[in-house]
Amino acid sequence: MTFFRAFACFALLGLTTPLFAQGTQVAFGTIQQDTSAPVEVTADELNVNQDTGAALFTGNVVIGQGEMRLSAPRVLVIYLEDRAGIERLEATGGVTVVSGPDAAEAQRADYSIDTGVIVMTGDVLMTQGQSAISGDKATIQLDDGTARVQGRVKSILQSGNE
């Protein structure tokens, strides 16, 4: 069930207070993300460690892949063992992920390129229009445009009648 269908069900039931749950599945983004698309990174500074095969981007880091954008003060890029591609990205210091009209914020985000999964932790806040959902952890599946929010989930659903 998408976030907006869930909202319609709650609106029909007359729920106007925040919704609390242990885990909630929501839609994220308007498109299915192509996780095989090239990853473009811009930043103020880059430090490369040849021994570990890692690259540290700092200062106004913006990462783009297809329609998805991730921004953070610091992003560590871990390359595959053969260095033929990126294994994962570790973004810290306050992270924002935007896909279409949807956005998610957290203190940290770990993006596994191969699986197309972003795990966001620490004060997670997801917004879709005027509706918002918060929790301790969000797992975003880019291949099908869904997200699961866990850990004292709080939803504020707007009826659209205002």
Side-chain angles (χ1 to χ4, degrees):
M1 178 180 302
T2 67
F3 182 73
F4 293 106
R5 277 190 244 150
F7 163 73
C9 291
F10 290 117
L12 288 173
L13 294 173
L15 295 178
T16 58
T17 58
L19 171 71
F20 296 95
Q22 286 300 317
T24 302
Q25 186 84 19
V26 297
F28 185 79
T30 57
I31 53 133
Q32 289 184 342
Q33 173 67 26
D34 178 6
T35 57
S36 66
V39 175
E40 179 180 315
V41 182
T42 58
D44 293 337
E45 187 173 328
L46 167 63
N47 292 297
V48 178
N49 184 326
Q50 294 296 335
D51 294 333
T52 63
L56 177 62
F57 291 89
T58 55
N60 302 307
V61 182
V62 177
I63 296 174
Q65 184 181 38
E67 297 296 318
M68 190 261 311
R69 297 288 174 266
L70 182 150
S71 60
R74 180 183 184 279
V75 176
L76 181 64
V77 178
I78 309 295
Y79 290 93
L80 295 168
E81 194 171 311
D82 63 3
R83 298 191 182 165
I86 298 171
E87 179 182 338
R88 71 181 186 278
L89 305 173
E90 298 173 358
T92 57
V95 182
T96 302
V97 175
V98 177
S99 179
D102 299 343
E105 298 176 0
Q107 292 302 309
R108 178 183 180 98
D110 294 297
Y111 177 21
S112 173
I113 302 292
D114 285 343
T115 62
V117 174
I118 300 175
V119 177
M120 301 183 78
T121 54
D123 302 319
V124 175
L125 174 64
M126 299 180 78
T127 58
Q128 293 182 318
Q130 293 182 0
S131 297
I133 187 166
S134 64
D136 298 325
K137 177 181 177 182
T139 303
I140 301 169
Q141 303 280 343
L142 294 174
D143 60 345
D144 65 4
T146 62
R148 179 172 179 82
V149 182
Q150 298 171 285
R152 200 61 186 153
V153 176
K154 179 180 179 182
S155 296
I156 300 185
L157 308 171
Q158 300 297 327
S159 66
N161 293 332
E162 298 176 14

